[in-house]
Amino acid sequence: MTGYQCKDCPRNCGIIRDSDEKKTKGYCMAPDLPKVARAALHFWEEPCISGEEGSGTVFFSGCNLRCVYCQNAEIANGTAGREISVERLAEIFLELQEKGANNINLVTPSHYYRQIKEALLLVKEKLQIPVIANTSSYDSVIQLKEMEGLIDIYLADYKYADADLAKKYSHAKDYPEVASRALKEMFRQVGEPVFDEEGRMKQGMIVRHLLLPGQKEDSKKVLRFLYDTFGDSIFISIMNQYTPLVREDDYPELKRKITEEEYEEVVEYAISLGIENGFIQEGETAEESFIPAFDGEGV
């Protein structure tokens, strides 16, 4: 796989993916082999994902969006983590299963789908828990189709309905268009939600939307799109956990948490649309303490 020309994501940069640190990296900053910053049980996902036992999260280094407000910037910029073989990645999946994980939760997988596919195929017969793609939705439909039959749950973002916001905060003006196509492909693959007797999701799709300060009208457009497109065939997670970690002075509007009034207005709008399958957040979720340590655990 060393040295392949990468056009795996919508950036379509065509960079040569290589493990040589001296060579130029693509926008995602990823080498050819998977670079992983943490692989451990995680308890802060939606209840039907984490359950009591925890979600077996694998945090990949690098990202093809790198939003200016990213709470995982340490790994999004590609600096944290260790490059491992596909075979080691497959072993990590089985180790998390042995630890009692409810699922395998692939966090930011978009730039590693081909490597993840290879690893999953190595352990497909041994893996007895669902596999989740925890993605920004800035995904290539071609790559998503390659994952069909290997992903049971899509835990996907829909960040913006407004292209200008996407350009300003995620350097991707085409995000709304790309993500809407990707979400439709994800739903085609996994369909209606399925739960076990304990209430844990076995199959289906959850779409997350993180409110940003001052952008409640865009949030309403996001919810309208999701409900008009999928109805109650998916779950929609409305998140209030925006944490103001922006260091640059170019984004003064992002240097605050969202207000209770902003969040309540968006939740009320969701109710008015008729959304029934949803998650909301309560309490203090916008804290740096909720961000895991990317210390190489489990890698």
Side-chain angles (χ1 to χ4, degrees):
M1 193 174 293
T2 300
Y4 71 93
Q5 186 177 33
C6 186
K7 296 184 179 181
D8 289 353
C9 91
R11 298 281 180 193
N12 201 31
C13 67
I15 200 75
I16 301 299
R17 292 275 286 270
D18 197 286
S19 292
D20 186 344
E21 289 295 331
K22 296 180 181 179
K23 290 195 175 182
T24 301
K25 295 286 193 295
Y27 187 92
C28 68
M29 303 302 294
D32 61 325
L33 290 174
K35 191 173 183 180
V36 178
R38 179 181 173 87
L41 297 178
H42 189 67
F43 298 89
W44 302 329
E45 308 287 30
E46 285 76 5
C48 62
I49 300 296
S50 292
E52 296 294 327
E53 300 80 10
S55 179
T57 52
V58 181
F59 287 92
F60 292 95
S61 184
C63 180
N64 67 351
L65 275 187
R66 299 213 309 277
C67 307
V68 298
Y69 51 83
C70 180
Q71 68 176 20
N72 293 343
E74 183 182 355
I75 57 171
N77 63 20
T79 56
R82 182 161 64 90
E83 194 174 335
I84 61 175
S85 67
V86 167
E87 291 76 15
R88 174 59 190 144
L89 182 60
E91 290 173 356
I92 287 172
F93 296 159
L94 295 180
E95 289 167 6
L96 288 169
Q97 178 173 258
E98 290 170 6
K99 290 177 180 178
N102 286 322
N103 41 62
I104 301 299
N105 189 349
L106 308 167
V107 182
T108 322
S110 303
H111 49 300
Y112 282 124
Y113 277 133
R114 67 168 68 200
Q115 295 87 347
I116 291 167
K117 177 180 179 179
E118 189 176 341
L120 286 172
L121 289 174
L122 289 175
V123 295
K124 188 175 182 180
E125 302 304 318
K126 297 179 181 178
L127 205 57
Q128 304 300 316
I129 54 178
V131 176
I132 299 173
N134 189 333
T135 171
S136 71
S137 301
Y138 197 58
D139 287 322
S140 159
V141 170
I142 293 173
Q143 286 298 310
L144 289 174
K145 287 182 176 179
E146 288 290 319
M147 301 305 292
E148 186 168 4
L150 296 172
I151 302 297
D152 303 290
I153 299 166
Y154 281 102
L155 185 55
D157 293 342
Y158 195 59
K159 294 177 179 292
Y160 320 96
D162 185 282
D164 290 333
L165 281 179
K167 180 180 180 180
K168 184 176 183 180
Y169 296 147
S170 297
H171 323 291
K173 188 170 184 176
D174 61 348
Y175 177 88
E177 179 184 355
V178 168
S180 63
R181 288 198 303 263
L183 290 169
K184 290 171 185 176
E185 171 60 23
M186 295 174 200
F187 182 73
R188 185 193 68 79
Q189 291 183 22
V190 299
E192 301 270 346
V194 178
F195 298 88
D196 66 16
E197 59 277 4
E198 303 296 326
R200 295 170 294 203
M201 184 174 271
K202 296 172 58 180
Q203 181 178 315
M205 186 164 151
I206 299 173
V207 180
R208 290 169 161 174
H209 175 67
L210 176 68
L211 272 71
L212 297 176
Q215 299 301 336
K216 62 186 180 183
E217 295 308 315
D218 189 64
S219 293
K220 292 176 184 179
K221 292 177 184 177
V222 165
L223 295 178
R224 166 66 73 179
F225 166 79
L226 292 174
Y227 194 62
D228 285 352
T229 305
F230 303 107
D232 283 315
S233 294
I234 66 169
F235 277 75
I236 298 173
S237 185
I238 306 173
M239 306 176 77
N240 71 352
Q241 69 186 53
Y242 172 78
T243 304
L245 301 176
V246 175
R247 310 302 182 195
E248 296 89 346
D249 292 333
D250 294 339
Y251 310 100
E253 72 277 15
L254 294 180
K255 293 187 176 182
R256 68 168 177 88
K257 300 177 184 179
I258 67 166
T259 65
E260 290 184 14
E261 291 76 18
E262 285 174 312
Y263 188 65
E264 288 174 3
E265 183 175 334
V266 172
V267 170
E268 287 298 321
Y269 181 76
I271 293 170
S272 74
L273 286 176
I275 294 173
E276 295 183 358
N277 289 344
F279 296 99
I280 61 172
Q281 293 182 320
E282 297 178 344
E284 288 294 325
T285 57
E287 300 292 340
E288 292 190 52
S289 60
F290 283 88
I291 302 170
F294 301 116
D295 54 6
E297 179 180 351
V299 182

